[in-house]
Amino acid sequence: MKTMLWEDNQLLLIDQTKLPDELTYFTCKTYQDVIQAIKTMVVRGAPAIGVAAAFGVALADLAGVDVEKAAAEIKSSRPTAVNLFWAVDRVMAAEDILKEALDMYQEDVDTNRTMGKYGAEVIDDGDTVLTHCNAGALACVDYGTALGVIRAAVEAGKKIDVICDETRPLGQGARLSVWEMQQENIPVRLIVDSAAGYLMQQGEVDKIVIGADRVAKGGVANKIGSLMVALAAKRFRVPFYVAAPISTFDHEKSIYDVEIEERGAEEVLHYGNCRIAPEKTEVRNPAFDIVPSDLIAGIITEEGIIDPL
Ligand code: MRU
């Protein structure tokens, strides 16, 4: 099952806001539809955002609108995942925008499978692997980065148990990662985010593998809560790996200069449709945090496992 499909000059995206209850597609007929899908997180996860953005530029090109302007608008849809900027720049530099987007679509799947093979080498038979957010097939075109490593370990015949952090406020771990693992009968348990440290202290976690929105000098930006998982992992000596394709690397900036997206208060004030705090409560809602390089055992890429920058 692919997170997105290109059919009849339209981009179909699995609507991730509706999972796990409904598996439906959101149709993008214009580049503005793609922008809306990225902003509202119909499509999310760094590699998926990148490939969707590339198709967004292709939609603008097919419609004969100002492609430079469309590309700039698409780039302003979310700030932290560098794949968005990488993908738009790449298709803009190509002679045939749609062909380039279709190439990127296929490359994403191949890259994740290669990354999975490298990553599976650090996962032992019988391991319990904890992951945060969703760096799975849904965050890419298919297979996933962190969940791709888990899939590859299972395909290699290893018996793996997965623990998914719930990932407040939007529940990508609970809604998406658990769902993906269940589709393939990979044993999975869900925990609240604050239980991760306790389980590590109890010796119940052997490895941690997460994804990344950006890898840069000094560390990695990933979903809010990743830093606390990494700090606990260091304290309890649990190897903490990041799985990320080379397209997630930013060699221009320090990780501390990357814009961390702040999202709306309603995400924190509500749990699903239910308000959980007084109406006028002030909120901070950073969507990502930064894991410093010294907390990371290795970065699993399609070129092998490397040291953090
Ligand atoms: O806000 P999201 O759901 O787009 O955040 C996604 C993450 O933080 C993922 O871990 C990251 O993009 C890597 S996806 C392979």
Short mmCIF file of all heavy atoms in Angstrom, two decimals, residues 237-285:
data_model
loop_
_atom_site.label_atom_id
_atom_site.label_comp_id
_atom_site.label_asym_id
_atom_site.label_seq_id
_atom_site.Cartn_x
_atom_site.Cartn_y
_atom_site.Cartn_z
N ARG A 237 21.55 3.57 29.10
CA ARG A 237 22.44 2.88 28.14
C ARG A 237 21.68 2.05 27.09
O ARG A 237 22.04 0.91 26.80
CB ARG A 237 23.44 2.00 28.89
CG ARG A 237 24.37 2.80 29.78
CD ARG A 237 25.55 1.93 30.23
NE ARG A 237 26.56 2.74 30.88
CZ ARG A 237 26.54 3.09 32.16
NH1 ARG A 237 25.54 2.69 32.94
NH2 ARG A 237 27.50 3.83 32.67
N VAL A 238 20.64 2.66 26.56
CA VAL A 238 19.90 2.01 25.46
C VAL A 238 20.38 2.67 24.16
O VAL A 238 20.27 3.89 24.01
CB VAL A 238 18.37 2.20 25.62
CG1 VAL A 238 17.63 1.52 24.47
CG2 VAL A 238 17.90 1.67 26.97
N PRO A 239 20.93 1.91 23.21
CA PRO A 239 21.40 2.52 21.96
C PRO A 239 20.27 3.24 21.22
O PRO A 239 19.20 2.68 21.00
CB PRO A 239 21.92 1.33 21.15
CG PRO A 239 22.19 0.26 22.16
CD PRO A 239 21.19 0.46 23.27
N PHE A 240 20.54 4.49 20.86
CA PHE A 240 19.52 5.36 20.25
C PHE A 240 19.94 5.66 18.81
O PHE A 240 20.95 6.34 18.58
CB PHE A 240 19.44 6.66 21.08
CG PHE A 240 18.41 7.65 20.61
CD1 PHE A 240 17.17 7.74 21.24
CD2 PHE A 240 18.68 8.51 19.56
CE1 PHE A 240 16.22 8.66 20.82
CE2 PHE A 240 17.74 9.44 19.14
CZ PHE A 240 16.51 9.51 19.76
N TYR A 241 19.19 5.13 17.84
CA TYR A 241 19.53 5.32 16.42
C TYR A 241 18.51 6.22 15.74
O TYR A 241 17.33 6.23 16.09
CB TYR A 241 19.54 3.97 15.69
CG TYR A 241 20.70 3.09 16.07
CD1 TYR A 241 20.58 2.13 17.07
CD2 TYR A 241 21.94 3.24 15.45
CE1 TYR A 241 21.65 1.33 17.44
CE2 TYR A 241 23.02 2.44 15.81
CZ TYR A 241 22.86 1.49 16.81
OH TYR A 241 23.93 0.70 17.17
N VAL A 242 19.00 6.93 14.73
CA VAL A 242 18.14 7.73 13.87
C VAL A 242 18.23 7.13 12.47
O VAL A 242 19.34 6.88 11.98
CB VAL A 242 18.61 9.20 13.84
CG1 VAL A 242 17.81 10.01 12.83
CG2 VAL A 242 18.51 9.81 15.25
N ALA A 243 17.08 6.89 11.84
CA ALA A 243 17.07 6.40 10.45
C ALA A 243 16.60 7.54 9.56
O ALA A 243 15.48 8.05 9.73
CB ALA A 243 16.15 5.20 10.31
N ALA A 244 17.45 7.96 8.64
CA ALA A 244 17.09 9.10 7.78
C ALA A 244 17.83 9.02 6.45
O ALA A 244 19.04 8.77 6.42
CB ALA A 244 17.44 10.41 8.49
N PRO A 245 17.11 9.28 5.35
CA PRO A 245 17.79 9.29 4.05
C PRO A 245 18.67 10.52 3.90
O PRO A 245 18.50 11.51 4.63
CB PRO A 245 16.62 9.34 3.06
CG PRO A 245 15.51 9.98 3.82
CD PRO A 245 15.69 9.59 5.26
N ILE A 246 19.58 10.47 2.95
CA ILE A 246 20.50 11.59 2.71
C ILE A 246 19.71 12.88 2.38
O ILE A 246 20.16 13.98 2.68
CB ILE A 246 21.49 11.23 1.56
CG1 ILE A 246 22.35 10.02 1.95
CG2 ILE A 246 22.36 12.42 1.17
CD1 ILE A 246 23.27 10.21 3.15
N SER A 247 18.50 12.72 1.82
CA SER A 247 17.67 13.90 1.50
C SER A 247 17.21 14.65 2.75
O SER A 247 16.70 15.76 2.65
CB SER A 247 16.45 13.48 0.68
OG SER A 247 15.73 12.48 1.36
N THR A 248 17.41 14.06 3.93
CA THR A 248 17.04 14.74 5.19
C THR A 248 18.23 15.49 5.79
O THR A 248 18.11 16.14 6.82
CB THR A 248 16.47 13.67 6.17
OG1 THR A 248 15.36 13.03 5.54
CG2 THR A 248 15.99 14.25 7.47
N PHE A 249 19.39 15.38 5.14
CA PHE A 249 20.60 16.06 5.66
C PHE A 249 20.66 17.50 5.16
O PHE A 249 20.38 17.78 3.99
CB PHE A 249 21.87 15.32 5.20
CG PHE A 249 22.15 14.07 6.00
CD1 PHE A 249 21.24 13.02 6.03
CD2 PHE A 249 23.34 13.94 6.71
CE1 PHE A 249 21.50 11.87 6.77
CE2 PHE A 249 23.60 12.78 7.44
CZ PHE A 249 22.69 11.75 7.47
N ASP A 250 21.02 18.39 6.05
CA ASP A 250 21.20 19.81 5.71
C ASP A 250 22.63 20.18 6.08
O ASP A 250 22.96 20.26 7.27
CB ASP A 250 20.18 20.64 6.51
CG ASP A 250 20.32 22.13 6.28
OD1 ASP A 250 21.29 22.55 5.62
OD2 ASP A 250 19.47 22.89 6.79
N HIS A 251 23.47 20.37 5.08
CA HIS A 251 24.88 20.67 5.36
C HIS A 251 25.13 22.17 5.46
O HIS A 251 26.26 22.60 5.64
CB HIS A 251 25.78 20.03 4.28
CG HIS A 251 25.76 18.54 4.34
ND1 HIS A 251 26.44 17.81 5.29
CD2 HIS A 251 25.09 17.63 3.58
CE1 HIS A 251 26.21 16.52 5.11
NE2 HIS A 251 25.39 16.39 4.08
N GLU A 252 24.07 22.97 5.33
CA GLU A 252 24.23 24.43 5.32
C GLU A 252 24.16 25.04 6.72
O GLU A 252 24.76 26.06 6.99
CB GLU A 252 23.09 25.09 4.51
CG GLU A 252 22.82 24.43 3.17
CD GLU A 252 23.67 25.02 2.07
OE1 GLU A 252 23.46 26.20 1.79
OE2 GLU A 252 24.53 24.29 1.53
N LYS A 253 23.36 24.41 7.58
CA LYS A 253 23.01 25.05 8.86
C LYS A 253 23.46 24.24 10.06
O LYS A 253 23.63 23.03 9.95
CB LYS A 253 21.48 25.14 8.97
CG LYS A 253 20.86 26.24 8.16
CD LYS A 253 19.39 26.33 8.47
CE LYS A 253 18.80 27.51 7.72
NZ LYS A 253 17.36 27.45 7.64
N SER A 254 23.54 24.93 11.21
CA SER A 254 23.62 24.22 12.48
C SER A 254 22.19 23.80 12.82
O SER A 254 21.23 24.49 12.48
CB SER A 254 24.15 25.18 13.55
OG SER A 254 23.64 24.80 14.82
N ILE A 255 22.06 22.68 13.51
CA ILE A 255 20.71 22.22 13.85
C ILE A 255 19.99 23.26 14.72
O ILE A 255 18.76 23.37 14.69
CB ILE A 255 20.76 20.81 14.52
CG1 ILE A 255 19.37 20.15 14.47
CG2 ILE A 255 21.28 20.87 15.95
CD1 ILE A 255 18.93 19.70 13.14
N TYR A 256 20.76 24.04 15.46
CA TYR A 256 20.14 25.03 16.35
C TYR A 256 19.64 26.27 15.59
O TYR A 256 18.97 27.12 16.17
CB TYR A 256 21.11 25.40 17.48
CG TYR A 256 21.36 24.20 18.36
CD1 TYR A 256 22.51 23.42 18.22
CD2 TYR A 256 20.41 23.80 19.30
CE1 TYR A 256 22.72 22.28 18.99
CE2 TYR A 256 20.61 22.66 20.08
CZ TYR A 256 21.76 21.92 19.92
OH TYR A 256 21.95 20.79 20.68
N ASP A 257 19.96 26.36 14.30
CA ASP A 257 19.45 27.47 13.48
C ASP A 257 18.23 27.06 12.65
O ASP A 257 17.70 27.86 11.88
CB ASP A 257 20.55 27.98 12.52
CG ASP A 257 21.67 28.65 13.29
OD1 ASP A 257 21.38 29.21 14.36
OD2 ASP A 257 22.83 28.57 12.83
N VAL A 258 17.81 25.81 12.79
CA VAL A 258 16.66 25.33 12.01
C VAL A 258 15.37 25.82 12.66
O VAL A 258 15.23 25.82 13.89
CB VAL A 258 16.69 23.78 11.98
CG1 VAL A 258 15.41 23.21 11.40
CG2 VAL A 258 17.91 23.30 11.19
N GLU A 259 14.43 26.25 11.82
CA GLU A 259 13.16 26.70 12.37
C GLU A 259 12.35 25.51 12.88
O GLU A 259 12.10 24.55 12.15
CB GLU A 259 12.33 27.46 11.31
CG GLU A 259 11.05 28.00 11.91
CD GLU A 259 10.12 28.72 10.92
OE1 GLU A 259 10.55 29.04 9.80
OE2 GLU A 259 8.96 28.94 11.30
N ILE A 260 11.97 25.60 14.13
CA ILE A 260 11.14 24.57 14.74
C ILE A 260 9.68 25.04 14.65
O ILE A 260 9.33 26.09 15.20
CB ILE A 260 11.55 24.32 16.21
CG1 ILE A 260 13.01 23.81 16.30
CG2 ILE A 260 10.58 23.35 16.89
CD1 ILE A 260 13.28 22.45 15.70
N GLU A 261 8.89 24.27 13.97
CA GLU A 261 7.49 24.65 13.75
C GLU A 261 6.73 24.74 15.08
O GLU A 261 6.85 23.86 15.92
CB GLU A 261 6.82 23.59 12.86
CG GLU A 261 5.35 23.84 12.57
CD GLU A 261 4.74 22.72 11.72
OE1 GLU A 261 5.38 21.65 11.56
OE2 GLU A 261 3.64 22.93 11.22
N GLU A 262 5.97 25.83 15.22
CA GLU A 262 5.05 25.96 16.36
C GLU A 262 3.66 25.78 15.78
O GLU A 262 3.29 26.46 14.83
CB GLU A 262 5.14 27.36 16.99
CG GLU A 262 6.38 27.60 17.80
CD GLU A 262 6.25 27.23 19.28
OE1 GLU A 262 5.13 27.02 19.78
OE2 GLU A 262 7.31 27.16 19.93
N ARG A 263 2.89 24.88 16.34
CA ARG A 263 1.54 24.66 15.81
C ARG A 263 0.49 25.23 16.76
O ARG A 263 0.81 25.75 17.82
CB ARG A 263 1.32 23.16 15.53
CG ARG A 263 2.25 22.68 14.39
CD ARG A 263 2.00 21.25 14.00
NE ARG A 263 0.66 21.02 13.50
CZ ARG A 263 0.30 21.14 12.22
NH1 ARG A 263 1.19 21.50 11.30
NH2 ARG A 263 -0.95 20.89 11.85
N GLY A 264 -0.76 25.16 16.34
CA GLY A 264 -1.84 25.84 17.07
C GLY A 264 -2.13 25.27 18.45
O GLY A 264 -1.85 24.10 18.73
N ALA A 265 -2.71 26.13 19.30
CA ALA A 265 -3.02 25.75 20.68
C ALA A 265 -4.07 24.64 20.75
O ALA A 265 -4.05 23.81 21.65
CB ALA A 265 -3.53 26.98 21.43
N GLU A 266 -4.98 24.62 19.76
CA GLU A 266 -6.09 23.66 19.84
C GLU A 266 -5.59 22.22 19.89
O GLU A 266 -6.23 21.35 20.49
CB GLU A 266 -7.09 23.88 18.69
CG GLU A 266 -6.62 23.55 17.29
CD GLU A 266 -5.61 24.54 16.68
OE1 GLU A 266 -5.34 25.62 17.27
OE2 GLU A 266 -5.07 24.20 15.64
N GLU A 267 -4.41 21.95 19.31
CA GLU A 267 -3.88 20.57 19.33
C GLU A 267 -3.57 20.12 20.76
O GLU A 267 -3.71 18.95 21.09
CB GLU A 267 -2.60 20.49 18.49
CG GLU A 267 -2.84 20.66 16.99
CD GLU A 267 -1.55 20.57 16.18
OE1 GLU A 267 -0.45 20.45 16.78
OE2 GLU A 267 -1.65 20.64 14.94
N VAL A 268 -3.13 21.07 21.58
CA VAL A 268 -2.76 20.73 22.96
C VAL A 268 -3.99 20.79 23.88
O VAL A 268 -4.11 20.00 24.82
CB VAL A 268 -1.65 21.69 23.46
CG1 VAL A 268 -1.28 21.40 24.90
CG2 VAL A 268 -0.41 21.57 22.57
N LEU A 269 -4.88 21.71 23.56
CA LEU A 269 -6.06 21.89 24.41
C LEU A 269 -7.09 20.78 24.23
O LEU A 269 -8.00 20.65 25.05
CB LEU A 269 -6.73 23.24 24.09
CG LEU A 269 -5.94 24.48 24.53
CD1 LEU A 269 -6.62 25.74 24.05
CD2 LEU A 269 -5.79 24.49 26.05
N HIS A 270 -6.93 20.00 23.15
CA HIS A 270 -7.90 18.94 22.89
C HIS A 270 -7.22 17.58 22.81
O HIS A 270 -6.06 17.48 22.44
CB HIS A 270 -8.63 19.19 21.56
CG HIS A 270 -9.52 20.39 21.62
ND1 HIS A 270 -9.05 21.67 21.45
CD2 HIS A 270 -10.85 20.49 21.87
CE1 HIS A 270 -10.05 22.52 21.58
NE2 HIS A 270 -11.15 21.83 21.84
N TYR A 271 -7.97 16.59 23.16
CA TYR A 271 -7.56 15.22 22.91
C TYR A 271 -8.62 14.67 21.98
O TYR A 271 -9.76 14.46 22.39
CB TYR A 271 -7.51 14.42 24.23
CG TYR A 271 -6.58 13.26 24.11
CD1 TYR A 271 -5.29 13.32 24.64
CD2 TYR A 271 -6.96 12.11 23.44
CE1 TYR A 271 -4.42 12.25 24.50
CE2 TYR A 271 -6.10 11.05 23.30
CZ TYR A 271 -4.83 11.12 23.83
OH TYR A 271 -3.98 10.06 23.67
N GLY A 272 -8.29 14.52 20.72
CA GLY A 272 -9.34 14.23 19.73
C GLY A 272 -10.30 15.40 19.73
O GLY A 272 -9.90 16.55 19.61
N ASN A 273 -11.59 15.10 19.87
CA ASN A 273 -12.59 16.18 19.87
C ASN A 273 -12.89 16.70 21.26
O ASN A 273 -13.75 17.56 21.44
CB ASN A 273 -13.90 15.69 19.23
CG ASN A 273 -13.69 15.41 17.76
OD1 ASN A 273 -12.89 16.09 17.11
ND2 ASN A 273 -14.39 14.40 17.25
N CYS A 274 -12.18 16.20 22.26
CA CYS A 274 -12.53 16.52 23.64
C CYS A 274 -11.56 17.56 24.22
O CYS A 274 -10.34 17.35 24.21
CB CYS A 274 -12.47 15.22 24.44
SG CYS A 274 -12.79 15.45 26.15
N ARG A 275 -12.08 18.66 24.71
CA ARG A 275 -11.21 19.67 25.32
C ARG A 275 -10.75 19.17 26.68
O ARG A 275 -11.55 18.67 27.47
CB ARG A 275 -11.94 21.02 25.44
CG ARG A 275 -11.05 22.12 25.99
CD ARG A 275 -11.56 23.50 25.64
NE ARG A 275 -12.95 23.69 26.02
CZ ARG A 275 -13.38 23.88 27.26
NH1 ARG A 275 -12.53 23.93 28.26
NH2 ARG A 275 -14.66 24.03 27.52
N ILE A 276 -9.45 19.32 26.99
CA ILE A 276 -8.92 18.76 28.24
C ILE A 276 -8.35 19.84 29.16
O ILE A 276 -7.75 19.52 30.17
CB ILE A 276 -7.81 17.70 27.96
CG1 ILE A 276 -6.68 18.30 27.09
CG2 ILE A 276 -8.37 16.45 27.33
CD1 ILE A 276 -5.42 17.47 27.08
N ALA A 277 -8.52 21.11 28.82
CA ALA A 277 -8.02 22.19 29.68
C ALA A 277 -9.00 23.35 29.57
O ALA A 277 -9.77 23.42 28.61
CB ALA A 277 -6.62 22.62 29.24
N PRO A 278 -8.96 24.27 30.55
CA PRO A 278 -9.88 25.42 30.46
C PRO A 278 -9.70 26.16 29.13
O PRO A 278 -8.58 26.22 28.60
CB PRO A 278 -9.45 26.30 31.64
CG PRO A 278 -8.81 25.36 32.60
CD PRO A 278 -8.16 24.29 31.77
N GLU A 279 -10.78 26.71 28.63
CA GLU A 279 -10.82 27.27 27.28
C GLU A 279 -9.71 28.26 26.94
O GLU A 279 -9.15 28.22 25.87
CB GLU A 279 -12.16 27.95 27.04
CG GLU A 279 -12.97 27.25 25.98
CD GLU A 279 -14.39 27.78 25.93
OE1 GLU A 279 -14.59 28.76 25.22
OE2 GLU A 279 -15.26 27.21 26.64
N LYS A 280 -9.40 29.18 27.85
CA LYS A 280 -8.46 30.23 27.47
C LYS A 280 -7.03 29.96 27.91
O LYS A 280 -6.21 30.87 28.00
CB LYS A 280 -8.95 31.57 28.02
CG LYS A 280 -10.16 32.04 27.21
CD LYS A 280 -10.67 33.39 27.62
CE LYS A 280 -11.86 33.76 26.74
NZ LYS A 280 -12.78 34.66 27.42
N THR A 281 -6.72 28.72 28.18
CA THR A 281 -5.37 28.34 28.62
C THR A 281 -4.33 28.73 27.56
O THR A 281 -4.53 28.46 26.38
CB THR A 281 -5.30 26.82 28.86
OG1 THR A 281 -6.34 26.46 29.77
CG2 THR A 281 -3.96 26.39 29.40
N GLU A 282 -3.25 29.36 28.01
CA GLU A 282 -2.17 29.67 27.07
C GLU A 282 -1.34 28.41 26.83
O GLU A 282 -1.15 27.60 27.74
CB GLU A 282 -1.28 30.77 27.64
CG GLU A 282 -1.94 32.12 27.47
CD GLU A 282 -0.99 33.26 27.73
OE1 GLU A 282 0.23 33.08 27.49
OE2 GLU A 282 -1.47 34.30 28.17
N VAL A 283 -0.82 28.28 25.63
CA VAL A 283 -0.19 27.03 25.22
C VAL A 283 1.12 27.32 24.49
O VAL A 283 1.25 28.33 23.82
CB VAL A 283 -1.16 26.27 24.27
CG1 VAL A 283 -0.46 25.18 23.49
CG2 VAL A 283 -2.34 25.70 25.05
N ARG A 284 2.11 26.45 24.66
CA ARG A 284 3.24 26.38 23.72
C ARG A 284 3.12 25.05 23.02
O ARG A 284 2.88 24.04 23.68
CB ARG A 284 4.58 26.39 24.46
CG ARG A 284 5.16 27.72 24.89
CD ARG A 284 5.79 28.56 23.80
NE ARG A 284 6.66 27.93 22.81
CZ ARG A 284 7.97 27.76 22.92
NH1 ARG A 284 8.61 28.12 24.01
NH2 ARG A 284 8.68 27.20 21.94
N ASN A 285 3.29 25.03 21.72
CA ASN A 285 3.15 23.77 21.00
C ASN A 285 4.23 23.60 19.94
O ASN A 285 3.97 23.58 18.74
CB ASN A 285 1.75 23.71 20.35
CG ASN A 285 1.47 22.35 19.70
OD1 ASN A 285 2.18 21.37 19.97
ND2 ASN A 285 0.45 22.29 18.86
#
